[in-house]
Amino acid sequence: MTRLLIALLCLSFAPSSFALNTKRAGPEEVELKFKLPPPVPLSPEEAMKAFAVEKGFRIELVASEPMIEAPVAMSFDDQGRLYVCEMRGYMHDLSGAGEKEPTGRVSLLEDTNGDGRMDKATAFLDGVVMPRAVMAVNGGALIAVPPQLLFCKDTNGDGVADVKEVVATDFGTLGGQPEHMANSPVWAMDNAIWSAGYSTRFKLRSGVWQKDAGLGRGQWGLCQDDHGRLYFNYNSDMLRADLLPTEAFARNPLLRNATSINAKLAADQKLYPAHPTPGVNRGYDEKTLSAEGKLQKPTGTCGALIYRGDTFPAEYRGNAFVPEPSANLVKRFTLSETDGLVKATNTAKGSEFLTSTDERFRPVNACNGPDGALYLVDMYRGIIQHQSFLTHYLIANIQARKLETPFNMGRIWRIVPEGSSAKPVKVAKDAKLLTHANGWVRDTAQRLIVESADASAVPVLKELLQNESPLAREHALWTLDGLAAITPDIVKTALADKSEHVRAAAARVAPRDYVFDLAAEKHPLVLANLAIKTISDAALAPLLATHGKNALIREAALTGLRGKEAAFAKTLAQTPSDGSKAVIGALAELIALAGKAGPIADMLDLASNSPENRDTILKGLAKTDSKSKTVKLVWLEQSPPTLKLPADLEKRLVWPGKPGAPAPPVIKSLTETQTALFEKGKTIYATLCAACHQPHGFGLDGLAPPLVDSEWVLGKTDVLARIVMHGLAGPVKVAGRTYNLAMPPLPQLTVAGVLTYIRREWEHTSSAVETKTVTAIREQEKGRLMMWTEKELKNLGKKK
């Protein structure tokens, strides 16, 4: 969740046995430079006095201990009740005591007298291990209790969940590192439920949970803006966003470095804490702290919020509010948009939107509320860094300043403008609420209508497509899509809308066979969405010849061109332009990253026959994954055309008769028995493995690493067999990239078949895996219950 903790004192400390991960533990001898007394835990009333909030605002207490303990997430339902997820087992001491105990719960809080303070709490779901997320939905709530995502509902009115339906079984792992697991499910404007750190999206249709592919990105926290764009962060990067539909990029796994998804929004992320904070996890590094001992850059960013309420002044709407618990503050960014590109500007010049001098103030999530206020989830504790990442320096701080306890406190805060008297809104299944000024109300009304699958709402929704509010028109369009009520006439009307965001949404919801008038559109955001949905290469080529230099449009088009890069490049070369050249270069890069002989040979032929694109093509083909230390040789069937190849490309290519070239690999044909294993493995892979590693074998960022050309797949078979039989706990490095994921054990599979398949598919030429080899390993490792780690597997190789 974060990489931090507060603590300070001018003493020297010897190495501690608590820094459990030696690779991350930092220097063993540490000096704590700032002499401050151990902080005293503050009551909510005392903590209130430690806050400094931007002028014109005030902070109010909504709930606190003992009503709630160790809160990490919250979600309002349509009746204004508040679900609070309490991770009560988290880090009771430096060894992580408590994490295996079923002490977690989700409480349902109510304000029964309307004074703004929660006064009634019911244990909606109790006795669970380390719950980490909650989202109100369908009269109940989605609750993350790793490895399960549960839908829980109270059907008899006592406030306690009596329905517990398993929606997913891979929503994190039991045990492991809480900060690197799936979290923060959000019902987005596209009627899909997205989560941070998780690649599957869900849709609820007529009471049935449907699953579909997305992209896994972000670390802790997920939210959306008024147009449904998803925003997230990483511990040291406060705000990122997907500027185009996230699901489109799942179609082309090689577009990992696209600028239109996982886009970094804020260049200036300097922090201004209200007091010294030298006890952060890397506080020993001189670049981390200022001379006054204050954290300078984020290290523990948590759940951000795009403010979409109607209570704050107009200039605050659409701003990003980002908690940084390591610095005990909430930062505000203003967001601006130009041609579909979003930029975040740091509003702080020596101060922050909210700061506290209370070192236990740990804001871990920010949320919009039904009253238009901004809500904060405060975990309120000393230790928030997980044991897996503790450094000797941080351990010394914790021990010196007595920060291990208490761990059973927690607060929910609300920030409102001075003089505000806004009250929560109870939301009904009413399409007219899509015109409401509060984004939370609009979102909830849309969700309720889609959940109901009530076709009687369609006429009113069609009327709303003519509403004066572009946001109402956009919500109406997506609500119609959620009801499966989109028609060509609706799309035609929306594509002529004055708002580019409504037109972009129209492109997204249009039937797959809808024929767009691409020449009629000029806005880059709309053109990018049209490029994603256009299935005709003949129609796409002129669009890219004109607009291919625009990264948003170019990347959008590339999502749908996997497997036909060379053919499309040839088509595009017939319309010479700067846009065509930019796209052809990008296609060459994708072909280089795939590393397959046929497409590379086709692009070399195109370079030979298209002088105006030659340099661009060769530069693209010379592209390699910068994180990979190995160079994969590509064997061409014949010598390429006479071209001056870039050194990196020439070194990579091998062909018959090339001077100094190694002999081609000897590919041993599979026996009849091995072929049968291959075919069985192929079927198993398609039905089980492809959901994560994908049919193309390139995996999915945030979900599963690539198998194509993986050193683990093509390496020692005994290591690979152990991974499948017992699982693998991250982090693990594959082709130069680190994946902090977990692969579950799959001992029930025909292991030899699956391994033979992945070692011979995708132009792999490695040996088959024999059944007797797997049988021997099963016997050797019988009784093993733990997943393997990368270190264990590498040491295993050394022993042999």
Side-chain angles (χ1 to χ4, degrees):
M1 195 185 309
T2 58
R3 299 258 169 119
L4 84 306
L5 206 300
I6 296 295
L8 337 145
L9 193 55
C10 192
L11 295 169
S12 292
F13 288 83
S16 168
S17 61
F18 289 109
L20 302 181
N21 192 316
T22 56
K23 287 186 177 181
R24 303 186 184 99
E28 294 188 4
E29 297 291 339
V30 295
E31 181 181 355
L32 308 185
K33 300 177 182 179
F34 297 86
K35 190 174 182 179
L36 293 174
V40 177
L42 302 182
S43 68
E45 293 73 23
E46 292 168 330
M48 188 90 71
K49 298 175 183 178
F51 287 122
V53 66
E54 197 166 305
K55 185 178 180 180
F57 293 89
R58 71 175 187 269
I59 189 165
E60 302 172 342
L61 183 67
V62 177
S64 68
E65 71 282 346
M67 178 178 283
I68 55 171
E69 299 176 9
V72 296
M74 58 171 273
S75 181
F76 281 102
D77 72 1
D78 53 279
Q79 298 304 301
R81 301 180 303 176
L82 182 60
Y83 291 99
V84 178
C85 181
E86 302 169 68
M87 197 183 283
R88 298 166 75 202
Y90 184 74
M91 290 295 290
H92 288 188
D93 59 25
L94 290 168
S95 298
E99 292 187 4
K100 297 180 181 180
E101 302 302 319
T103 57
R105 72 183 175 201
V106 172
S107 293
L108 182 58
L109 309 186
E110 299 177 64
D111 172 13
T112 62
N113 58 15
D115 66 353
R117 289 279 292 268
M118 297 297 173
D119 49 57
K120 179 182 178 182
T122 306
F124 179 73
L125 180 68
D126 205 353
V128 292
V129 179
M130 297 287 281
R132 56 188 294 100
V134 62
M135 186 196 84
V137 65
N138 201 30
L142 280 177
I143 299 174
V145 183
Q148 295 182 330
L149 181 65
L150 303 173
F151 171 64
C152 301
K153 190 171 185 177
D154 164 29
T155 62
N156 60 15
D158 64 357
V160 178
D162 47 72
V163 171
K164 299 172 187 177
E165 176 187 351
V166 177
V167 177
T169 58
D170 61 348
F171 207 81
T173 60
L174 182 62
Q177 302 163 358
E179 69 178 88
H180 290 292
M181 291 188 201
N183 62 87
S184 305
V186 171
W187 183 299
M189 184 177 271
D190 64 357
N191 301 305
I193 297 171
W194 296 86
S195 303
Y198 189 65
S199 293
T200 299
R201 55 182 172 139
F202 303 96
K203 289 186 177 181
L204 180 62
R205 296 294 179 270
S206 301
V208 178
W209 296 100
Q210 302 173 355
K211 299 181 182 181
D212 202 355
L215 283 180
R217 64 275 170 278
Q219 188 166 339
W220 183 264
L222 187 72
C223 64
Q224 66 172 342
D225 66 10
D226 276 339
H227 309 295
R229 286 177 294 212
L230 299 174
Y231 291 75
F232 43 93
N233 51 55
Y234 299 92
N235 62 305
S236 57
D237 194 337
M238 301 194 86
L239 198 63
R240 294 200 175 207
D242 290 342
L243 304 180
L244 290 176
T246 308
E247 67 274 13
F249 287 80
R251 303 186 299 180
N252 196 335
L254 294 177
L255 274 172
R256 289 193 176 110
N257 299 315
T259 58
S260 46
I261 57 166
N262 200 23
K264 185 180 178 71
L265 303 184
D268 176 13
Q269 301 189 26
K270 183 172 175 57
L271 301 177
Y272 301 95
H275 66 123
T277 57
V280 295
N281 208 24
R282 306 290 178 218
Y284 56 81
D285 187 336
E286 61 182 16
K287 296 179 181 179
T288 300
L289 304 172
S290 68
E292 295 80 26
K294 296 182 178 181
L295 185 64
Q296 300 186 86
K297 294 182 180 180
T299 185
T301 305
C302 284
L305 167 73
I306 306 301
Y307 178 73
R308 302 172 58 222
D310 58 347
T311 302
F312 283 23
E315 61 267 28
Y316 289 83
R317 296 176 191 175
N319 286 190
F321 293 85
V322 189
E324 220 305 358
S326 54
N328 317 116
L329 59 81
V330 176
K331 175 174 283 297
R332 179 170 73 93
F333 292 98
T334 57
L335 300 184
S336 57
E337 181 178 350
T338 304
D339 292 337
L341 301 178
V342 178
K343 177 183 177 182
T345 300
N346 189 349
T347 62
K349 298 299 178 185
S351 63
E352 300 286 0
F353 177 74
L354 176 69
T355 60
S356 176
T357 54
D358 181 0
E359 298 175 32
R360 286 182 171 82
F361 171 57
R362 304 298 192 189
V364 295
N365 253 311
C367 303
N368 286 298
D371 54 356
L374 187 159
Y375 285 77
L376 293 174
V377 179
D378 176 9
M379 201 174 182
Y380 204 84
R381 58 183 8 252
I383 301 177
I384 57 172
Q385 175 59 65
H386 190 254
Q387 58 158 326
S388 301
F389 292 97
L390 287 172
T391 62
H392 294 290
Y393 174 87
L394 184 50
I395 290 168
N397 275 289
I398 293 168
Q399 293 174 326
R401 307 201 59 235
K402 300 178 175 59
L403 291 167
E404 289 180 82
T405 58
F407 48 75
N408 59 349
M409 302 174 79
R411 290 92 192 253
I412 304 294
W413 303 98
R414 173 177 50 234
I415 299 176
V416 295
E418 290 285 6
S420 171
S421 58
K423 297 294 183 181
V425 175
K426 291 186 178 182
V427 180
K429 189 191 67 176
D430 183 355
K432 293 180 181 179
L433 288 176
L434 299 180
T435 66
H436 202 282
N438 184 349
W440 183 91
V441 174
R442 296 194 305 274
D443 291 349
T444 304
Q446 176 179 325
R447 174 176 63 80
L448 292 175
I449 295 169
V450 173
E451 285 175 354
S452 73
D454 186 358
S456 67
V458 171
V460 179
L461 292 169
K462 288 182 177 180
E463 290 179 11
L464 284 175
L465 293 176
Q466 306 300 324
N467 190 273
E468 63 180 2
S469 166
L471 289 178
R473 299 197 300 271
E474 196 171 352
H475 273 283
L477 190 61
W478 279 113
T479 308
L480 285 165
D481 182 64
L483 294 175
I486 292 293
T487 64
D489 285 344
I490 290 174
V491 173
K492 183 178 180 181
T493 298
L495 285 172
D497 197 280
K498 293 179 181 179
S499 165
E500 67 271 19
H501 290 289
V502 175
R503 300 199 304 276
R508 293 182 63 184
V509 304
R512 181 166 174 76
D513 58 352
Y514 191 90
V515 178
F516 298 104
D517 181 5
L518 300 179
E521 183 57 61
K522 304 300 179 186
H523 198 283
L525 177 64
V526 185
L527 287 170
N529 281 277
L530 290 171
I532 289 172
K533 288 298 287 282
T534 299
I535 59 177
S536 166
D537 291 352
L540 192 59
L543 172 67
L544 294 177
T546 304
H547 299 286
K549 288 189 69 177
N550 183 291
L552 209 65
I553 300 170
R554 182 174 64 250
E555 291 175 357
L558 292 174
T559 65
L561 293 174
R562 188 179 68 82
K564 54 181 180 179
E565 295 91 347
F568 188 80
K570 185 177 180 180
T571 299
L572 204 54
Q574 297 173 16
T575 311
S577 69
D578 289 343
S580 295
K581 184 177 291 187
V583 176
I584 289 171
L587 291 167
E589 288 188 15
L590 293 178
I591 287 172
L593 291 173
K596 302 307 176 186
I600 290 176
D602 290 342
M603 288 298 280
L604 290 172
D605 287 340
L606 179 59
S608 177
N609 297 320
S610 180
E612 64 271 23
N613 292 305
R614 182 172 300 154
D615 291 344
T616 298
I617 292 172
L618 295 179
K619 182 180 178 181
L621 290 177
K623 182 83 171 180
T624 57
D625 190 333
S626 60
K627 295 187 178 182
S628 179
K629 296 180 181 180
T630 59
V631 177
K632 177 196 172 187
L633 295 179
V634 177
W635 294 84
L636 304 179
E637 292 184 357
Q638 59 187 27
S639 59
T642 303
L643 296 166
K644 185 177 180 180
L645 302 178
D648 288 344
L649 178 59
E650 196 278 336
K651 181 171 60 175
R652 190 182 183 196
L653 300 181
V654 184
W655 57 84
K658 179 181 180 181
V666 177
I667 304 174
K668 187 177 180 181
S669 298
L670 297 179
T671 66
E672 184 177 344
T673 300
Q674 292 168 342
T675 299
L677 275 175
F678 175 93
E679 292 299 330
K680 190 168 187 178
K682 181 178 182 179
T683 300
I684 294 172
Y685 183 89
T687 56
L688 183 61
C689 311
C692 294
H693 293 287
Q694 303 296 295
H696 45 62
F698 284 104
L700 203 58
D701 283 356
L703 179 61
L707 302 180
V708 176
D709 300 328
S710 164
E711 63 269 38
W712 295 92
V713 172
L714 305 180
K716 296 181 178 180
T717 58
D718 59 336
V719 169
L720 190 58
R722 283 175 167 85
I723 292 174
V724 174
M725 285 191 284
H726 305 114
L728 175 62
V732 60
K733 188 167 286 188
V734 182
R737 292 175 181 264
T738 298
Y739 294 83
N740 216 321
L741 306 166
M743 175 180 166
L746 299 168
Q748 75 279 12
L749 298 185
T750 304
V751 175
V754 173
L755 300 189
T756 296
Y757 172 73
I758 64 175
R759 286 167 62 84
R760 296 291 287 217
E761 182 65 353
W762 310 304
E763 296 187 14
H764 291 168
T765 58
S766 296
S767 62
V769 177
E770 302 295 338
T771 300
K772 63 180 180 182
T773 301
V774 175
T775 300
I777 295 172
R778 284 189 193 276
E779 179 61 27
Q780 185 179 348
E781 301 293 349
K782 66 180 180 180
R784 182 181 179 90
L785 300 176
M786 299 292 292
M787 291 181 177
W788 293 95
T789 64
E790 182 179 38
K791 182 177 181 180
E792 284 180 310
L793 292 172
K794 287 185 174 180
N795 288 338
L796 181 71
K798 292 177 182 178
K799 293 176 182 178
K800 289 188 174 293

